[in-house]
């Protein structure tokens, strides 16, 4: 009876231990803190200042909206994306150092290891993103408590999805160099084609615009960003699974954005657990 009672919480206790290890490791490496939040802030300031005139001249921004305000939700997701990259790269380091092999031979299920890694990366990502979110007050982005809680929830789900995606990719990698190459090839275009820089075009008269519209529409990051952008602007979409069309651009509704983001997180976490369940050549001591 006692053994069953102690065995039940073991997977979650192991997951929490791995999660806490990721947080402690991050806090002890100041260069990771600077790189994860410093670079997105620099991007936000440089692009926001340099492209404000072009943004208003194109007619995309409102009378009082600058590119700094428009680019703000994209910077939030960029912080989550960078933290996911830095958090999941520890999988390769743990394998090379022998720590991962010790976890794999333990009696805890492998989904517990995935949960711990994903939770650790998500907590770090959302924590940094929320710090940046508070900086929005200095550029005229005012939010109430409902907006803050709503954005927090979307960032948590998006963080789980992106960190799970990073885990799924890192599990197949043997070197950090190859991991960075794949991340730059996959995750950065996902962010760039999410509406962070420019909205989804509805004018598909040319082949290029048609392809761009479909790629951005199929991109799961698009929906997390669209939901955050509408919440920041205190806008609600006309229907739960619809979208909002403004001029020549389309923006997913809050309901659609939340739904797709949740599905993306569930699918990526399941893929990460499935990948971790398969034994690789380097997983043995």
């Amino acid at each position: 009876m006692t053994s069953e009672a102690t065995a039940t919480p073991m997977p979650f206790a192991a997951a929490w231990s791995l999660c806490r290890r990721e947080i402690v490791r991050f806090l002890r490496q100041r260069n990771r803190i600077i790189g994860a939040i410093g670079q997105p802030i620099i991007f936000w300031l440089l692009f926001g200042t340099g492209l404000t005139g072009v943004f208003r001249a194109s007619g995309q921004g409102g009378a009082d909206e600058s590119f700094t305000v428009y680019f703000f939700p994209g910077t939030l997701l960029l912080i989550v994306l960078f933290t996911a990259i830095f958090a999941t790269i520890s999988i390769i380091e743990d394998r090379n150092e022998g720590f991962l092999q010790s976890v794999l031979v333990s009696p805890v299920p492998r989904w517990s290891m995935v949960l711990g890694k994903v939770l650790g990366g998500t907590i770090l990502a959302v924590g940094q993103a929320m710090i940046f979110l508070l900086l929005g007050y200095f550029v005229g982005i005012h939010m109430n408590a409902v907006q803050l809680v709503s954005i927090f929830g979307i960032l948590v789900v998006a963080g789980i999805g992106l960190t799970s995606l990073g885990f799924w990719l890192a599990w197949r990698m043997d070197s950090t160099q190859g991991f960075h190459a794949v991340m730059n090839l996959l995750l950065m275009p996902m962010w760039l084609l999410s509406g962070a820089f420019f909205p989804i075009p509805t004018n598909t008269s040319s082949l290029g615009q048609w392809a761009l519209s479909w790629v951005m529409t199929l991109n799961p990051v698009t929906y997390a960003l669209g939901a955050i952008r509408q919440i920041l602007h205190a806008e609600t979409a006309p229907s739960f699974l619809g979208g909002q069309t403004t001029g020549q651009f389309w923006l997913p509704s809050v309901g659609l954005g939340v739904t797709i983001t949740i599905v993306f997180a569930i699918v990526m976490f399941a893929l990460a657990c499935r990948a971790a369940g398969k034994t690789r050549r380097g997983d043995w001591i």
Side-chain angles (χ1 to χ4, degrees):
M1 189 72 175
T2 305
S3 60
E4 293 180 358
T6 56
T8 301
M10 180 182 291
F12 297 100
W16 171 245
S17 297
L18 291 173
C19 173
R20 185 174 58 183
R21 179 176 180 268
E22 292 296 320
I23 297 175
V24 172
R25 174 190 286 184
F26 178 83
L27 295 177
R28 290 179 178 177
Q29 298 175 353
R30 297 181 180 178
N31 57 334
R32 287 181 58 184
I33 301 177
I34 297 174
I37 195 172
Q39 188 171 356
I41 291 179
I42 292 175
F43 284 172
W44 176 58
L45 293 175
L46 291 179
F47 288 120
T49 304
L51 296 178
T52 293
V54 178
F55 179 73
R56 286 176 174 169
S58 65
Q60 294 181 21
D64 298 325
E65 185 180 23
S66 64
F67 190 76
T68 304
V69 177
Y70 179 86
F71 191 44
F72 190 82
T75 309
L76 278 174
L77 284 181
L78 183 61
I79 293 175
V80 176
L81 177 66
F82 274 19
T83 307
I85 293 175
F86 288 124
T88 52
I89 201 174
S90 64
I91 298 173
I92 302 174
E93 297 173 350
D94 289 342
R95 178 181 289 118
N96 296 334
E97 295 171 359
F99 176 81
L100 183 62
Q101 288 84 343
S102 301
V103 176
L104 293 178
V105 298
S106 65
V108 297
R110 295 201 175 186
W111 64 261
S112 177
M113 175 193 63
V114 178
L115 180 62
K117 288 284 188 179
V118 171
L119 282 181
T122 302
I123 291 174
L124 293 174
V126 175
Q128 294 174 86
M130 292 302 293
I131 294 175
F132 177 76
L133 182 62
L134 298 179
L135 297 178
Y137 285 96
F138 295 99
V139 295
I141 300 177
H142 302 291
M143 295 159 285
N144 54 38
V146 176
Q147 289 173 304
L148 284 174
V149 173
S150 301
I151 294 175
F152 173 79
I154 296 175
L155 288 175
V156 169
V157 180
I160 292 174
L162 290 174
T163 309
S164 299
L165 174 60
F167 184 101
W168 181 65
L169 293 173
W171 191 262
R172 291 165 165 76
M173 299 292 169
D174 296 319
S175 66
T176 56
Q177 294 83 357
F179 180 74
H180 276 295
V182 172
M183 283 296 183
N184 290 330
L185 183 64
L186 177 63
L187 289 188
M188 288 304 294
M190 284 181 64
W191 173 74
L192 290 172
L193 296 175
S194 65
F197 259 83
F198 47 86
I200 303 174
T202 57
N203 182 13
T204 58
S205 57
S206 64
L207 179 61
Q209 289 291 311
W210 177 85
L212 181 64
S213 176
W214 271 103
V215 170
M216 296 181 70
T217 303
L218 295 175
N219 182 6
V221 184
T222 298
Y223 299 90
L225 189 139
I228 293 175
R229 174 162 286 136
Q230 294 217 43
I231 292 173
L232 280 176
H233 289 77
E235 297 175 355
T236 55
S239 63
F240 182 75
L241 293 177
Q244 183 179 19
T245 302
T246 304
Q248 296 182 347
F249 307 105
W250 179 78
L251 186 66
S253 68
V254 176
L256 179 61
V258 171
T259 302
I260 298 298
T261 305
I262 292 175
V263 172
F264 173 69
I266 294 174
V267 171
M268 291 316 307
F269 184 77
L271 289 177
C273 292
R274 182 179 180 182
K278 298 180 180 179
T279 302
R280 297 178 67 259
R281 182 179 58 183
D283 292 340
W284 299 103
I285 299 177

